[in-house]
Amino acid sequence: KKIPNQMLIIFGASGDLTTRKLIPAIFDLYKDGHLPESFAVLGVSRSQLSDKEFRDKSIWKSPFLQKAIAKQEDEFIKTFAEKFHYHDLGSEYDRSYDDLAQKIAELNEQYQTQGNYIFYLSTPPSLYGTIAKNLNEANLSQENGGFRRLIVEKPFGYDLESAKKLNETLHHYFEEKQVYRIDHYLGKETVQNLLVTRFSNSIFEPLWNRRYIHHVEITNAETVGVEKRGGYYDKSGALRDMFQSHLLQIVSLIVMEPPISADAEEIRDEKVKALKSLRIMKSDEEIIKNTLRGQYVTTQIEGRTHKGYREEEGVNPESTTETFAAIKFYVDNWRWKGVPFYVRTGKAMPTKVTEAVIHFKTPPHEVFMSQDAYRKDNKLIIRIQPNEGILIKFGVKVPGLGFHVDQANMEFYYSDLESAQVMDAYERLLLDAMQGDTTLYARADEVEAAWRFVDPILKCWENNPAVNTYGYSVGTWGPRNSDEMIEDSFGWRNPGD
Ligand code: BG6
């Protein structure tokens, strides 16, 4: 598909996310030949920078591009860097937007971008409303001639109420179809593959329901702590940072009904329905029973001290913010009635991994002896990262006498494909936005439905003194009592153990 000439205007251009994710993604698009014939980037932020300083900081001297740059001719990088320009908007993003509009008009002329603009908000969310309003007042949000799109980063709101308010504010100045709420998990190849696994394989779909599935488990683990983001994270916590957005997106793709086509609205309609069918926990008692929050504590490993969360920069030394969350819940609809979902996420864990495991029910009558209870059930493991792929665990006869059953793996890894290049999530999502494809972006009602489920948990955790934040050692799978959340003999699957 031919991509129209356009300009990407990045607010928060000197920020960490821009240098770390966005510009490398634009570079990959350039390298892979996906940028339109004529394309410009205008960086906007509070720092005072010249075009040259901006190019140096975000391209030539960027630690995130060094490896890629080293592989290319200087001329190739120079052509790329020259597409980048900079405009300073004052310390509170308050300098006149007429100047900004003027600058955009000039670049539009120079690059022939036909009035097609994407505004990428990579600023603190508290500025989203002001920026949208100012863009509107400077006549930059109206689609007269070219397209106008607004990409917003998470966090999208702090709770249900603030998310609704933010949607309302944005809708004041932009139409919903112009708003692209980015959730980078949707850009991951294997997250998209969930749809294909389910809806183009007739061997899975007939089993994808309460009759054959015993429970569903999702684990998201990171080895890192909060690093330099203590200030942001301490006000957020794992439930807001990972669960409300990325993990509920994965849940919605596992839970949703088949869409009638691959059209963005059809898919998003089904995802909203899925999120709306999550059983909202009403009482504190129910929440305390089905959720758990944890925090990593100072830990000695082989003579080395690993910082606990409360010692991290920007974190309140008495903070009860969770760096680990585990939630058990049900989905109240025809397909999923009675099937428990277990989802956990944590920082400072033993390995970096994200996977969803579909546990199928064991056969109704046991004819053969299994090696042990955990190995009895068929599992479909969707490995989202790393080693992206799919595994099926199934029973085989242990060779030799008798009829003992053990489990064998059937494995598919993306890296084994000939055309194995898995596109980076940001690269994929940016390309979609440039083409006007909203399928992998979250819609307003989707974000609100996710908050509706999370909101009572947040409120209970914050207000009920009976809620503990349990400590766990760095490099472990979270607080010990999270193991007791899964009632029967299955337990969590700890990849790599
Ligand atoms: C971000 C969270 O959205 O996702 C981070 O704010 C987290 O806290 C990150 O580390 C994880 O992303 P990935 O792609 O590394 O799994």
Side-chain angles (χ1 to χ4, degrees):
K1 202 165 153 190
K2 193 167 180 304
I3 302 165
N5 290 348
Q6 54 193 283
M7 191 185 320
L8 178 66
I9 297 123
I10 307 172
F11 287 77
S14 53
D16 179 59
L17 181 84
T18 305
T19 342
R20 196 157 45 93
K21 293 277 188 195
L22 216 50
I23 296 186
I26 304 169
F27 182 74
D28 285 342
L29 287 172
Y30 170 68
K31 183 169 62 61
D32 299 339
H34 292 311
L35 288 185
E37 248 166 69
S38 200
F39 179 74
V41 174
L42 177 62
V44 174
S45 115
R46 333 184 203 211
S47 324
Q48 276 187 332
L49 297 174
S50 65
D51 284 359
K52 180 173 180 312
E53 284 167 328
F54 178 50
R55 291 169 188 167
D56 279 351
K57 177 179 171 353
S58 54
I59 302 168
W60 293 107
K61 294 188 182 146
S62 160
F64 307 100
L65 273 180
Q66 288 314 305
K67 247 182 149 167
I69 284 183
K71 288 194 203 134
Q72 307 287 347
E73 301 280 324
D74 261 18
E75 211 41 46
F76 186 74
I77 310 292
K78 202 165 152 249
T79 312
F80 175 69
E82 275 169 2
K83 299 177 191 297
F84 282 67
H85 300 265
Y86 187 80
H87 183 79
D88 153 27
L89 254 193
S91 60
E92 292 304 319
Y93 283 87
D94 52 0
R95 201 155 285 161
S96 159
Y97 276 60
D98 294 337
D99 292 349
L100 174 66
Q102 175 68 31
K103 175 91 184 180
I104 292 175
E106 282 165 26
L107 291 172
N108 181 44
E109 207 36 54
Q110 185 184 335
Y111 285 88
Q112 294 296 305
T113 50
Q114 295 149 359
N116 293 327
Y117 309 144
I118 298 186
F119 302 100
Y120 195 114
L121 308 194
S122 166
T123 63
S126 54
L127 291 171
Y128 292 171
T130 320
I131 296 174
K133 175 168 178 279
N134 285 322
L135 288 175
N136 178 262
E137 283 171 4
N139 267 326
L140 287 165
S141 66
Q142 299 81 349
E143 296 199 307
N144 34 14
F147 63 67
R148 304 292 152 91
R149 297 175 187 148
L150 186 74
I151 304 185
V152 288
E153 265 294 337
K154 70 174 253 283
F156 199 84
Y158 183 75
D159 53 12
L160 177 60
E161 202 189 319
S162 55
K164 276 185 168 166
K165 236 193 210 133
L166 184 51
N167 276 332
E168 235 168 70
T169 310
L170 295 183
H171 288 158
H172 233 82
Y173 309 111
F174 286 83
E175 285 178 43
E176 175 60 22
K177 70 173 175 46
Q178 296 175 276
V179 182
Y180 290 63
R181 295 171 195 78
I182 204 163
D183 184 308
H184 79 281
Y185 267 58
L186 287 174
K188 294 186 192 275
E189 196 62 56
T190 26
V191 173
Q192 294 154 32
N193 192 43
L194 255 166
L195 287 173
V196 177
T197 303
R198 286 194 55 194
F199 303 128
S200 10
N201 288 296
S202 44
I203 56 169
F204 296 128
E205 188 50 25
L207 307 181
W208 210 267
N209 58 54
R210 68 182 187 288
R211 278 186 291 276
Y212 300 103
I213 293 179
H214 185 270
H215 68 282
V216 175
E217 175 189 352
I218 299 173
T219 290
N220 166 270
E222 291 180 273
T223 47
V224 292
V226 292
E227 301 185 292
K228 295 207 165 65
R229 297 160 74 225
Y232 148 77
Y233 196 90
D234 208 30
K235 293 193 201 72
S236 168
L239 197 64
R240 287 190 178 91
D241 185 54
M242 286 299 305
F243 183 81
Q244 184 275 337
S245 48
H246 309 321
L247 298 179
L248 282 185
Q249 283 292 342
I250 297 175
V251 168
S252 73
L253 294 170
I254 294 176
V255 166
M256 70 188 265
E257 291 300 312
I260 57 171
S261 74
D263 172 81
E265 296 317 316
E266 300 295 349
I267 291 181
R268 299 197 298 179
D269 282 350
E270 293 302 340
K271 283 169 68 193
V272 172
K273 259 168 61 191
L275 289 168
K276 280 186 177 163
S277 55
L278 306 188
R279 185 187 301 168
I280 292 177
M281 293 183 232
K282 294 209 174 71
S283 67
D284 280 7
E285 199 189 344
E286 196 182 354
I287 294 170
I288 292 171
K289 185 163 161 248
N290 294 301
T291 68
L292 195 102
R293 61 192 320 216
Q295 192 185 75
Y296 60 91
V297 296
T298 309
T299 309
Q300 296 282 342
I301 304 174
E302 292 167 2
R304 231 189 100 206
T305 309
H306 293 258
K307 258 193 208 169
Y309 174 69
R310 291 181 182 182
E311 290 170 56
E312 301 275 15
E313 197 186 310
V315 171
N316 175 352
E318 286 168 22
S319 171
T320 54
T321 299
E322 76 285 353
T323 58
F324 171 95
I327 320 272
K328 173 185 178 186
F329 59 92
Y330 289 92
V331 180
D332 279 344
N333 63 21
W334 201 272
R335 185 185 287 269
W336 293 107
K337 192 78 181 183
V339 178
F341 280 67
Y342 301 91
V343 179
R344 63 178 171 166
T345 173
K347 294 206 183 270
M349 294 185 56
T351 183
K352 179 164 172 78
V353 69
T354 306
E355 64 172 34
V357 187
I358 314 294
H359 293 259
F360 291 93
K361 287 184 178 170
T362 49
H365 172 63
E366 196 169 8
V367 182
F368 307 115
M369 284 275 289
S370 285
Q371 292 292 86
D372 60 59
Y374 185 76
R375 287 156 183 259
K376 259 196 234 175
D377 65 330
N378 288 127
K379 299 180 201 48
L380 175 70
I381 301 170
I382 296 151
R383 179 55 82 81
I384 291 161
Q385 60 185 25
N387 305 335
E388 292 87 347
I390 290 191
L391 271 82
I392 298 175
K393 300 238 175 212
F394 66 106
V396 290
K397 180 182 166 301
V398 178
L401 296 177
F403 274 98
H404 292 287
V405 183
D406 198 359
Q407 281 207 324
N409 289 342
M410 213 142 60
E411 303 173 340
F412 156 74
Y413 292 104
Y414 269 88
S415 54
D416 294 338
L417 289 180
E418 238 167 73
S419 53
Q421 204 206 3
V422 174
M423 230 185 187
D424 168 75
Y426 271 89
E427 183 186 1
R428 165 72 204 254
L429 292 174
L430 260 179
L431 186 59
D432 282 359
M434 288 165 68
Q435 292 176 311
D437 184 349
T438 52
T439 316
L440 300 177
Y441 284 87
R443 210 167 61 186
D445 49 352
E446 208 175 328
V447 171
E448 288 179 19
W451 277 119
R452 204 163 286 122
F453 177 73
V454 168
D455 223 39
I457 306 175
L458 284 173
K459 302 267 145 70
C460 169
W461 282 6
E462 271 155 22
N463 304 327
N464 193 318
V467 174
N468 292 315
T469 303
Y470 296 94
Y472 62 96
S473 300
V474 171
T476 65
W477 289 100
R480 292 239 174 89
N481 43 351
S482 65
D483 289 340
E484 288 144 32
M485 284 183 84
I486 302 190
E487 299 82 355
D488 40 29
S489 54
F490 293 95
W492 296 95
R493 185 184 124 83
N494 292 337
D497 273 10

